[in-house]
């Protein structure tokens, strides 16, 4: 019975299972295999900072979502709370589109603002190589979309609770336009907007309801 249920989960939710599996695998390698120096080297290589985006934007954007500096257990749970409901609501491919758009826009806009401030002399050159890894943009978008559009009151409230618990950390530094905080806000807004767009597209493709049969009384009156 347990294996049958696991099989159904794998067939129904390949996207969240794959994402969480890859993140957990990288976490295990970081924690159990790599020495401290190598762990820092992996973080530096995967960081979506200005230096890495200039030379390897695609690889950096992909890798950064599966590497974290710490708190991997909390991140793993939070991502799961968001990903499963949005996959249930929109399907695997559309859920991928939602989190991918949020991760990419969160990164590019936050780093773009950092670049503008750097060129204006408001930041030091060290901002080019700051560590910037983790699935936090993914979980921001997923939690917001799960709360706004998910099925079931319990799932939506759980997503809201997860967001409320993490919000003080996710939004820390927003007033000073720190990269991570700006990226989190952008990812949340993207999750909400893309989720809404997916709902609109879904409703447009729904078959139109058949017209109700005419009432015999109405037919008699017309006659």
């Amino acid at each position: 019975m347990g294996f049958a249920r696991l099989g159904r989960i794998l067939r129904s939710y390949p996207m969240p299972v794959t994402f969480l599996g890859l993140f957990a695998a990288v976490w295990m390698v970081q924690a159990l295999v790599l020495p401290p120096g190598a762990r820092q080297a992996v973080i530096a290589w995967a960081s979506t900072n200005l230096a890495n985006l200039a030379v390897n934007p695609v690889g950096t954007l992909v890798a950064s979502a599966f590497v974290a500096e710490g708190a991997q257990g909390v991140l793993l749970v939070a991502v799961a709370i968001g990903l499963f409901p949005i996959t249930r609501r929109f399907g695997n491919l559309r859920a991928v589109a939602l989190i991918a758009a949020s991760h990419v826009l969160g990164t590019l806009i936050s780093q773009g603002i950092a670049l503008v401030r750097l060129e204006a002399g408001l930041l030091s050159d060290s901002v080019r190589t700051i560590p910037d890894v983790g699935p936090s943009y993914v979980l921001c978008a997923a939690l917001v979309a799960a709360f706004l559009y998910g099925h079931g009151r319990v799932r939506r409230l759980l997503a809201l609770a997860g967001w409320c618990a993490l919000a003080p950390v996710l939004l820390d530094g927003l007033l000073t336009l720190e990269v991570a905080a700006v990226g989190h806000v952008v990812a949340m807004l993207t999750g909400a907007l893309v989720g809404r767009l997916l709902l609109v597209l879904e409703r447009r493709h729904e078959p139109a309801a058949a017209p109700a049969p005419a009432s015999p009384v109405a037919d008699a009156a017309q006659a």
Side-chain angles (χ1 to χ4, degrees), residues 27-78:
W27 176 21
M28 292 298 102
V29 171
Q30 286 180 272
L32 303 177
V33 178
L34 298 180
R39 287 199 294 270
Q40 292 305 314
V42 169
I43 290 170
W45 169 77
S47 290
T48 48
N49 50 38
L50 293 173
N52 287 343
L53 288 172
V55 296
N56 185 23
V58 176
T60 300
L61 282 166
V62 173
S64 64
F66 301 99
V67 178
E69 293 185 86
Q72 285 94 333
V74 174
L75 292 170
L76 194 70
V77 172

Side-chain angles (χ1 to χ4, degrees), residues 96-182:
V96 168
L98 186 149
I99 64 170
S102 302
H103 182 65
V104 170
L105 288 177
T107 299
L108 297 184
I109 292 177
S110 62
Q111 292 293 341
I113 291 174
L115 179 59
V116 170
R117 297 179 70 204
L118 174 64
E119 296 296 328
L122 300 176
L123 297 175
S124 69
D125 202 58
S126 61
V127 74
R128 295 183 183 276
T129 57
I130 59 171
D132 188 16
V133 292
S136 58
Y137 296 165
V138 171
L139 75 86
C140 282
L143 289 176
V144 168
F147 167 65
L148 292 176
Y149 311 116
H151 287 311
R153 180 178 299 178
V154 173
R155 295 184 184 90
R156 295 178 69 181
L157 290 177
L158 188 59
L160 176 61
W163 183 88
C164 290
L166 295 174
V169 177
L170 298 174
L171 303 180
D172 184 41
L174 182 60
L175 296 180
T176 55
L177 296 180
E178 291 188 13
V179 169
V182 172

